Amino acid sequence: MLSDFEKLASTAGELLRAKSYKLVTAESCTGGLLSAAITSVAGSSKWFERGFVTYSNESKQEVLGVQTVEEFGAVSEQTACAMARGALKNSHAEVSLAITGVAGPDGGTKEKPIGTVWIACVVKGESAHATLNHFAGNRQSVREQAVSAALNLLFDALQL
């Protein structure tokens, strides 16, 4: 599946380079898989600035300045957007992608079942845009689907 990620990431890189933008990521449930997909592309250092893996609630708060976890939960639109804004603020990038969710096999609730993933994108100077996703499959499948969805959200943001 990495070859599919490489294709998506390469296309994202072309869009970012065309705008002279750099990308930063903030990942929770994907644990760096998005950053790994991006850096699998030769030359990605020209458009990938850095990645944050903020798996624990404390790291989201300490590293990215997220203040929404207690009120809305780690898996929420508010937290995904706060992660994306925090990553942008703590980097030299113009675009950020953030992923937070429940990959499984446990941790899901009735309100936020396994496969629930929020993905947010922010282009500097614009409002955050987030999508709610409900992915099916095992832990790895949920994580891979989240990475693909994040790269597709990035495409949409860059083509506006």
Side-chain angles (χ1 to χ4, degrees), residues 90-110:
N90 290 290
S91 72
H92 301 284
E94 292 78 24
V95 182
S96 67
L97 275 176
I99 302 173
T100 185
V102 184
D106 49 10
T109 66
K110 184 176 180 182

Side-chain angles (χ1 to χ4, degrees), residues 57-104:
N57 290 343
E58 292 79 14
S59 66
K60 288 174 184 63
Q61 295 164 341
E62 293 169 7
V63 175
L64 300 176
V66 172
Q67 300 297 315
T68 57
V69 174
E70 286 188 26
E71 184 176 355
F72 300 102
V75 182
S76 65
E77 177 179 17
Q78 295 84 353
T79 296
C81 290
M83 288 171 64
R85 286 190 294 268
L88 205 56
K89 182 179 177 182
N90 290 290
S91 72
H92 301 284
E94 292 78 24
V95 182
S96 67
L97 275 176
I99 302 173
T100 185
V102 184

Side-chain angles (χ1 to χ4, degrees), residues 14-151:
E14 290 169 17
L15 291 170
L16 287 159
R17 287 187 64 189
K19 293 182 178 273
S20 298
Y21 285 170
K22 288 208 173 195
L23 174 68
V24 61
T25 60
E27 299 180 69
S28 186
C29 67
T30 49
L33 190 60
L34 176 59
S35 296
I38 290 165
T39 57
S40 71
V41 176
S44 57
S45 61
K46 293 180 179 97
W47 50 271
F48 183 61
E49 206 272 332
R50 71 181 73 182
F52 297 97
V53 176
T54 53
Y55 202 71
S56 71
N57 290 343
E58 292 79 14
S59 66
K60 288 174 184 63
Q61 295 164 341
E62 293 169 7
V63 175
L64 300 176
V66 172
Q67 300 297 315
T68 57
V69 174
E70 286 188 26
E71 184 176 355
F72 300 102
V75 182
S76 65
E77 177 179 17
Q78 295 84 353
T79 296
C81 290
M83 288 171 64
R85 286 190 294 268
L88 205 56
K89 182 179 177 182
N90 290 290
S91 72
H92 301 284
E94 292 78 24
V95 182
S96 67
L97 275 176
I99 302 173
T100 185
V102 184
D106 49 10
T109 66
K110 184 176 180 182
E111 296 79 27
K112 297 175 185 177
I114 293 167
T116 303
V117 178
W118 278 98
I119 302 169
C121 183
V122 177
V123 176
K124 199 170 232 172
E126 297 180 18
S127 298
H129 177 72
T131 60
L132 172 60
N133 303 272
H134 296 284
F135 300 124
N138 65 22
R139 180 177 180 79
Q140 189 62 23
S141 176
V142 168
R143 295 172 75 225
E144 290 173 355
Q145 290 172 78
V147 168
S148 294
L151 290 169

